[in-house]
Amino acid sequence: MEPRVLQRVAIVLAAFMATGCVKSAIYKVATIPEKPGCLTSGVVSDRDALIGLAVSGGGSRAALFAAGGLEALGRLRVGPDQRSLLEQVSYISSVSGGSMASAYYVLNKPSHATQVLTENGEISEEYQRFFDSFKDAMAKDYEGPLLWRQIFRLRWFNPSWTARSLAEILNEQYLGDTSFAGLSRREAQGDSPHLLVNTTLYNDARRFVVTSLDPDELRYDFVGELMRAPGRVELNEEVQGLLQTRWETLQSRTPADLNLDVCPMKVASAVAASMSFPPVIGPITFRVGDQDQYWHAGDGGLSDNSGGETILMVALKNLQEGKVRRALIISLDSSFPFDVGGKSLSFRSEGFSLFSYDYSRIPSIMEERANAYRTFFFRVGQREGLLPDDRTLAIVVLRHTDAVWKEDLSDLPESCQKEKVNWKSAKDVGEHLAGIVTRLWLESTCDRDLVVTAAAKVVAQNEPKIRAFLEQ
């Protein structure tokens, strides 16, 4: 084990042994006023195409992949007026490490008055400076400061306080104490896309989406669509009621559903909740006003680690109401590949031990099943005409593991050459990339650069598909 890792383990163990009875870090949040001041509506009606981004979880790996992916998408001139794709994005739905990147993007990107591309199709100086700062921020070490804050502020090994410490660090590093009211003003001015931060409520297993969007923007009526479908089979009242009840449990909760005023809430708190993966971090616990009930919001990946389901509901809602004619969802997916852990277990006689236990494996198994059902539901819905076809609604998934590398490895980042990696083929690079662990810091400069380069590659590889849909 590396000296730096040993040092951190020793700190954690010392903190654990010193732990006493520490009170949970409970947030008390305001109830929603009679007239909420910062809720916003979605896209302008009668647009041709809605473009939304889903940004997956995956710690610093996901944050860097998102930063590199957003920069690469910014270079694409698409659509009838050949503008940068980023200037046409209306929504960003994010999870965990992806929320860290998405929050940075929406709060720090240049205003709508600054064009992403010059007349020659190059990234403008303002945006190039922004993207350079963006990648630097996502490459920072967030683990060390998090551990030291826990120790020096006597918060010890307490997951609730770890989540609070993470929120404070994110706030100090780059979110600048911004509330959702401040973000809402940027969204209303067109300076940023609408941000939807995905968390999971431990109370009822519902997805909790923290956003300044009006809750109705997320309420797609699938059961109503089913009932209106031509040639539908008549369903009795019991089946209809069961469908409606089950569909409701799949809908996201929003702050308004909990009578919570999102306007004064800090963006950093929502991002920290989205990143709160137990047992190390979180959940974040809060009470709304003087209510007796406590809510516990944790890692958004427990309900959907891609962020895709939330943005899909928003797109379907806009299509259902005729606000747009078509919708494109681009998924920046750098979640840890499920099969990587499976390969490791296949050559291990002992499943798990105290020092080899992979906590993420358990929810990942459930996620694999959920993804299978989501895909099945979506494709059957399209086939039966209940959901829009591929010409009306397209989903393009950009995975970091899908990057294609040259066999002579001449396209590797320079930092990888300096670190003297021993890869012999493109397959070796792909396997290494797939195995980069989910942490809040990637110590290797090569790994950090590799993730960013992979993002640019998969955007280029999928450019024809993106362009074909937007320019059909």
Side-chain angles (χ1 to χ4, degrees):
M1 190 178 290
E2 296 178 8
R4 186 183 182 98
V5 176
L6 281 171
Q7 181 187 45
R8 290 183 175 180
V9 170
I11 292 170
V12 172
L13 289 175
F16 183 76
M17 289 186 289
T19 302
C21 182
V22 182
K23 186 178 179 180
S24 295
I26 299 171
Y27 287 84
K28 185 174 181 180
V29 294
T31 55
I32 195 167
E34 187 175 337
K35 292 183 178 181
C38 70
L39 294 187
T40 59
S41 58
V43 300
V44 179
S45 297
D46 199 33
R47 286 185 55 179
D48 177 54
L50 175 153
I51 301 178
L53 302 181
V55 188
S56 80
S60 292
R61 182 188 62 249
L64 278 165
F65 185 74
L70 285 164
E71 180 178 13
L73 290 171
R75 296 180 185 275
L76 297 188
R77 268 183 165 174
V78 294
D81 50 3
Q82 291 294 288
R83 288 185 297 142
S84 166
L85 185 142
L86 282 189
E87 294 177 352
Q88 304 174 58
V89 171
S90 299
Y91 303 94
I92 298 181
S93 170
S94 64
V95 185
S96 196
S99 292
M100 191 162 66
S102 299
Y104 183 99
Y105 177 76
V106 298
L107 292 180
N108 293 284
K109 67 178 286 294
S111 72
H112 70 282
T114 304
Q115 292 189 339
V116 179
L117 299 174
T118 65
E119 292 182 359
N120 296 326
E122 301 294 327
I123 290 279
S124 65
E125 290 184 11
E126 294 89 339
Y127 264 93
Q128 191 58 65
R129 284 196 297 270
F130 163 72
F131 282 122
D132 290 343
S133 298
F134 190 3
K135 289 179 287 189
D136 286 344
M138 296 303 102
K140 284 184 178 179
D141 176 8
Y142 293 97
E143 286 185 3
L146 183 58
L147 286 172
W148 285 116
R149 182 165 299 225
Q150 288 293 96
I151 298 299
F152 289 120
R153 299 204 178 181
L154 304 181
R155 292 174 176 180
W156 314 122
F157 193 71
N158 182 296
S160 295
W161 277 108
T162 308
R164 175 72 72 95
S165 294
L166 178 60
E168 292 170 354
I169 289 168
L170 295 175
N171 204 46
E172 293 163 8
Q173 292 281 357
Y174 61 80
L175 295 181
D177 213 33
T178 306
S179 66
F180 274 88
L183 172 58
S184 176
R185 286 191 289 272
R186 282 182 60 87
E187 293 171 342
Q189 293 166 184
D191 291 334
S192 75
H194 296 282
L195 178 65
L196 302 103
V197 180
N198 293 272
T199 74
T200 304
L201 289 174
Y202 289 5
N203 305 63
D204 56 12
R206 295 276 291 274
R207 184 169 50 249
F208 181 49
V209 181
V210 188
T211 179
S212 61
L213 270 177
D214 189 299
D216 191 56
E217 298 289 330
L218 285 74
R219 301 282 191 261
Y220 170 62
D221 183 14
F222 173 73
V223 177
E225 202 72 37
L226 179 64
M227 295 297 100
R228 292 188 292 269
R232 68 180 176 85
V233 176
E234 291 292 335
L235 303 175
N236 61 45
E237 289 186 9
E238 181 182 357
V239 174
Q240 287 188 38
L242 180 62
L243 282 174
Q244 189 65 56
T245 299
R246 289 301 183 186
W247 181 250
E248 184 59 31
T249 64
L250 293 174
Q251 299 306 294
S252 301
R253 285 190 182 274
T254 66
D257 295 322
L258 306 186
N259 199 34
L260 185 162
D261 184 9
V262 74
C263 301
M265 181 186 292
K266 297 293 185 288
V267 175
S269 297
V271 173
S274 183
M275 299 173 69
S276 292
F277 187 84
V280 179
I281 304 177
I284 277 186
T285 300
F286 61 92
R287 292 176 63 188
V288 181
D290 295 324
Q291 295 178 9
D292 293 332
Q293 183 171 7
Y294 294 92
W295 293 96
H296 308 277
D299 181 38
L302 297 176
S303 51
D304 173 24
N305 199 39
S306 72
E309 194 171 318
T310 297
I311 199 70
L312 175 62
M313 292 301 110
V314 172
L316 288 170
K317 173 72 172 182
N318 276 275
L319 288 168
Q320 188 175 57
E321 295 189 342
K323 290 183 179 179
V324 295
R325 300 180 183 90
R326 298 178 299 135
L328 172 65
I329 297 173
I330 299 174
S331 174
L332 292 167
D333 187 358
S334 55
S335 53
F336 192 76
F338 183 74
D339 60 345
V340 171
K343 290 177 182 176
S344 174
L345 283 172
S346 298
F347 294 95
R348 183 192 300 167
S349 59
E350 184 180 30
F352 293 115
S353 66
L354 179 62
F355 296 104
S356 68
Y357 189 75
D358 181 3
Y359 293 101
S360 66
R361 191 72 183 164
I362 296 172
S364 293
I365 291 171
M366 295 183 282
E367 185 185 6
E368 281 295 291
R369 300 291 295 170
N371 284 339
Y373 282 114
R374 284 190 192 104
T375 303
F376 185 80
F377 160 77
F378 185 71
R379 290 306 179 189
V380 170
Q382 283 190 315
R383 183 183 182 280
E384 296 301 314
L386 297 172
L387 295 174
D389 60 24
D390 287 336
R391 288 182 58 82
T392 304
L393 173 61
I395 301 174
V396 179
V397 181
L398 310 179
R399 294 187 181 89
H400 68 299
T401 52
D402 288 342
V404 177
W405 303 87
K406 294 180 180 179
E407 278 303 321
D408 64 0
L409 306 186
S410 59
D411 51 350
L412 286 181
E414 185 179 345
S415 56
C416 295
Q417 307 288 358
K418 291 180 179 178
E419 291 185 18
K420 298 181 180 179
V421 295
N422 59 355
W423 305 322
K424 305 299 182 186
S425 66
K427 181 181 178 182
D428 292 339
V429 180
E431 290 180 349
H432 178 84
L433 191 62
I436 294 177
V437 297
T438 301
R439 298 269 300 271
L440 291 183
W441 183 49
L442 302 183
E443 186 171 5
S444 165
T445 305
C446 171
D447 284 353
R448 298 197 294 266
D449 293 344
L450 201 65
V451 170
V452 172
T453 304
K457 281 182 172 290
V458 292
V459 169
Q461 289 165 202
N462 286 274
E463 179 181 349
K465 190 184 298 185
I466 295 170
R467 192 177 297 282
F469 179 83
L470 292 175
E471 297 179 358
Q472 64 177 296

